[in-house]
Amino acid sequence: MTAQPIGFSTQTALLNYDILAYIFNSFESRSRGSGRKALAACTLVCQTWSEPASEVLWRKLDSLHPLWALLAGRYFPPSAKRLTEFWTIVEPEEFVKEVAAKEPDLWKRFLHRASHIREIGTASYGEAELALIRSVVQHNGGTTFLPSLNILAWRHAVTTDMTLLVVISPSLRSLELSTARNISRHNGMHPPPNDYTPSEPLFAGLPAAAPYLHRLVISGRQLPSSIVYPHIVGLTRLRELCLYNDLCAVRPADLCLILGALPDLELLSTQVKDFFNPPCAASSTSLRELRLNGTPADLAGVLSPSGIDVPFLTSLSLNVDGVAYTASHQHCLEALALANFAPTLRTLVLATVVRDEQIPADAELAHYTTLIGPLMRLAHLEDVELRILNTWLNLADEDVLAVARAWRRLRRLILSYIPTDSVPSMTVLRHFAMHCPDLRELVLTKVRIPEALDVPAPVIAETLTTKLPAKAGSEKALHPLRKLDLRLTFATRDPINTLEVARFIDSLFPQLEVTATRSGRITVFTAPWEKIEAEIRRMRTRRSLGVQM
């Protein structure tokens, strides 16, 4: 037994603030789950435990409701059905004034607990709660009662309200702002539906209220770029900017403004517009991840040399709008393959937006490698997700082989396509085992199960493992694939030779994760695969016991 230091005991350890804080930090502090209940119980154990447990308990909240419940105390009106509704039936100014004046200990405790809050999740703030927030700030000397807040999701329906600016402080690092149409009244009348000017002061005040903001997400449908971009560029320390707003679509001049004013920006997500012939290229040496939505023509314009210059980009996501696959889509892929950041790109997500319910039946079947041919020149890709769902495709075995040979460094691959009569055979999995030695995750919409998997499993394993680099101290390396999803492959009424399929897959990917239990409802898609997984587990058990198969 290891000797304990002089004066050390378990009792001493469990009364040490730093040790207790370390233990409580391992608990789940969200509002749901047993971890939060355990933390609440720990606050009642003794005075020594109360403070460190409370600090963790109040660190992350889903909303401000628990804080309001603390503030209410015995002032909670009995006519309210729930404690979290009390602010809808009281006069906020008088209520907060009375608590601060007559219950100084409660007021002090409220502010102390509020100072622990670091993160507030998604919450909707109505007019009554906004009025309560303003009253609390006013009686706190005009300063925020959340001085340590780092992460905030602010979602309310009163876009003319400026309460956000008095709640946040320089400690804020991440803000998700969801806005709605103006519903507040001016002089007893609703503002015109297209009058967005009352929202501008909110964005004008953000740089001063949160000067060290690193992440900003804006969503909603009513905010035009003219009242957003001139002000958010004042947030010069931004590293992530996500604009999920149709009216905030970025145009060439906007892109130049954003990238020029935000020297530390690493991630930009936005919709692009009017990039048919950009006058000059927007440049950034800090940008590492770019997520763009737009038409094929606009995206091709952005990716062209005159659109954007980001030589160190490593991740690109394109959401391509359009009814059907056209020549513009190909121009977009060509522009991507020729972009100045192509050599540094490691992650690529390409998705086509389906607008029609049905693709014309007489649409021409294009070979998969013909469509994605330009992308196959990007030999350094490691993570690829292609969701081409607005055209019929002819995905043959030789197409899959070409993909595996083109992207040998893949660690993750998702190929989503409309399954037709022309889908590759399950034997194409051999191509990935042979040519992609680092692949960890593979998803294919559908493959065809042949009547017989010709090559015996032991021969396949012997052939493929010799193609992989051997690990130190071992004669053969096992393929590292852990996740395999063949989606619609097993949604069939045809009989499946479970044992044969299991032997084939296990011989190729002996490290594949096969869980003993799976959450969720078993469907026509999952039931056959669960049987295959069960067979693989049985085979592995026999091997571990040295049983000859």
Side-chain angles (χ1 to χ4, degrees), residues 12 15 28-29 42 81 94 105 118 137 166 170 180 208 241 271 275 280 288 336 346 351 358 363 378 418 426 435 524:
T12 302
L15 295 178
E28 174 57 53
S29 59
C42 289
K81 294 181 179 179
E94 292 299 322
D105 291 339
R118 303 291 190 273
V137 171
V166 298
L241 176 60
Q271 182 176 351
F275 273 85
C280 62
R288 296 297 183 268
L336 168 56
R346 295 297 179 267
Q358 215 172 18
L378 305 175
I418 302 174
M426 182 178 286
H435 299 290
V524 67

Side-chain angles (χ1 to χ4, degrees), residues 456-458 498-508 535-536 539:
T498 302
L499 177 58
E500 189 176 67
V501 172
R503 290 182 63 201
F504 178 76
I505 292 177
D506 187 48
S507 67
L508 294 177
E535 192 61 52
I536 293 175
M539 289 189 297

Side-chain angles (χ1 to χ4, degrees), residues 63-283:
S63 71
L64 286 174
H65 293 183
L67 202 58
W68 302 146
L70 177 64
L71 179 65
R74 68 170 181 263
Y75 287 87
F76 173 60
S79 56
K81 294 181 179 179
R82 292 184 303 168
L83 188 60
T84 54
E85 293 179 346
F86 80 91
W87 59 82
T88 64
I89 57 175
V90 299
E91 206 293 311
E93 173 63 24
E94 292 299 322
F95 170 77
V96 177
K97 181 179 179 181
E98 186 172 1
V99 172
K102 297 183 178 181
E103 295 284 344
D105 291 339
L106 175 61
W107 178 248
K108 182 178 179 181
R109 185 184 177 202
F110 167 82
L111 294 177
H112 182 61
R113 293 290 179 252
S115 68
H116 293 327
I117 298 175
R118 303 291 190 273
E119 179 178 347
I120 299 178
T122 304
S124 178
Y125 301 95
E127 292 190 33
E129 189 172 3
L130 291 170
L132 178 61
I133 293 173
R134 291 193 296 271
S135 297
V136 172
V137 171
Q138 178 183 349
H139 285 277
N140 193 38
T143 61
T144 180
F145 55 96
L146 301 169
S148 303
L149 188 63
N150 298 144
I151 302 173
L152 173 64
W154 184 266
R155 301 184 180 182
H156 63 91
V158 188
T159 57
T160 56
D161 184 86
M162 301 295 116
T163 305
L164 172 66
L165 299 180
V166 298
V167 170
I168 60 179
S169 72
S171 66
L172 194 68
R173 296 296 182 269
S174 174
L175 173 63
E176 294 184 11
L177 177 60
S178 175
T179 57
R181 291 189 179 279
N182 294 319
I183 63 171
S184 59
R185 293 174 177 267
H186 296 269
N187 299 324
M189 299 181 63
H190 286 292
N194 295 323
D195 181 13
Y196 307 114
T197 53
S199 300
E200 188 166 5
L202 180 68
F203 295 94
L206 269 181
Y212 302 104
L213 197 66
H214 288 170
R215 178 176 180 266
L216 176 62
V217 179
I218 300 177
S219 61
R221 297 183 177 180
Q222 76 296 333
L223 294 173
S225 58
S226 59
I227 69 169
V228 176
Y229 296 152
H231 304 297
I232 63 173
V233 293
L235 297 164
T236 56
R237 289 178 172 84
L238 270 185
R239 295 176 183 175
E240 298 182 16
L241 176 60
C242 301
L243 304 171
Y244 303 121
N245 186 306
D246 293 340
L247 294 178
C248 278
V250 168
R251 291 169 170 79
D254 301 325
L255 189 59
C256 289
L257 175 66
I258 292 172
L259 296 187
L262 306 178
D264 298 325
L265 194 66
E266 297 175 358
L267 184 154
L268 175 62
S269 178
T270 184
Q271 182 176 351
V272 293
K273 203 168 186 179
D274 298 338
F275 273 85
F276 300 108
N277 187 23
C280 62
S283 62

Side-chain angles (χ1 to χ4, degrees), residues 368-512:
Y368 197 80
T369 48
T370 302
L371 264 63
I372 69 166
L375 304 181
M376 296 172 67
R377 301 201 295 266
L378 305 175
H380 297 284
L381 288 176
E382 298 175 358
D383 188 335
V384 177
E385 183 174 342
L386 301 181
R387 301 182 183 273
I388 303 178
L389 301 174
N390 63 346
T391 185
W392 300 109
L393 290 168
N394 182 1
L395 183 58
D397 290 23
E398 54 268 24
D399 295 312
V400 178
L401 175 59
V403 168
R405 285 176 171 171
W407 297 326
R408 294 175 181 266
R409 300 189 180 188
L410 281 177
R411 300 177 65 87
R412 175 176 174 268
L413 175 64
I414 297 178
L415 298 183
S416 296
Y417 44 88
I418 302 174
T420 65
D421 293 335
S422 174
V423 293
S425 167
M426 182 178 286
T427 56
V428 298
L429 296 180
R430 292 179 297 181
H431 303 322
F432 296 110
M434 184 179 295
H435 299 290
C436 303
D438 293 322
L439 191 62
R440 264 64 172 180
E441 180 179 352
L442 175 62
V443 178
L444 302 175
T445 296
K446 185 177 183 179
V447 296
R448 174 176 47 84
I449 303 175
E451 293 183 2
L453 293 169
D454 301 333
V455 184
V459 176
I460 295 177
E462 183 71 22
T463 302
L464 298 182
T465 52
T466 57
K467 296 287 185 178
L468 299 174
K471 296 180 181 178
S474 65
E475 295 180 0
K476 298 177 181 179
L478 300 178
H479 196 282
L481 190 78
R482 304 303 295 261
K483 295 182 180 180
L484 176 65
D485 188 349
L486 301 179
R487 299 289 170 90
L488 302 178
T489 298
F490 304 106
T492 176
R493 295 184 178 181
D494 297 333
I496 298 174
N497 190 329
T498 302
L499 177 58
E500 189 176 67
V501 172
R503 290 182 63 201
F504 178 76
I505 292 177
D506 187 48
S507 67
L508 294 177
F509 310 119
Q511 299 194 73
L512 190 70

Side-chain angles (χ1 to χ4, degrees), residues 35-81:
R36 187 168 178 82
K37 294 179 181 179
L39 280 172
C42 289
T43 63
L44 305 176
V45 170
C46 63
Q47 188 174 359
T48 304
W49 281 34
S50 179
E51 185 59 25
S54 295
E55 186 173 343
V56 178
L57 181 66
W58 287 91
R59 185 176 299 163
K60 297 180 181 179
L61 300 180
D62 284 343
S63 71
L64 286 174
H65 293 183
L67 202 58
W68 302 146
L70 177 64
L71 179 65
R74 68 170 181 263
Y75 287 87
F76 173 60
S79 56
K81 294 181 179 179

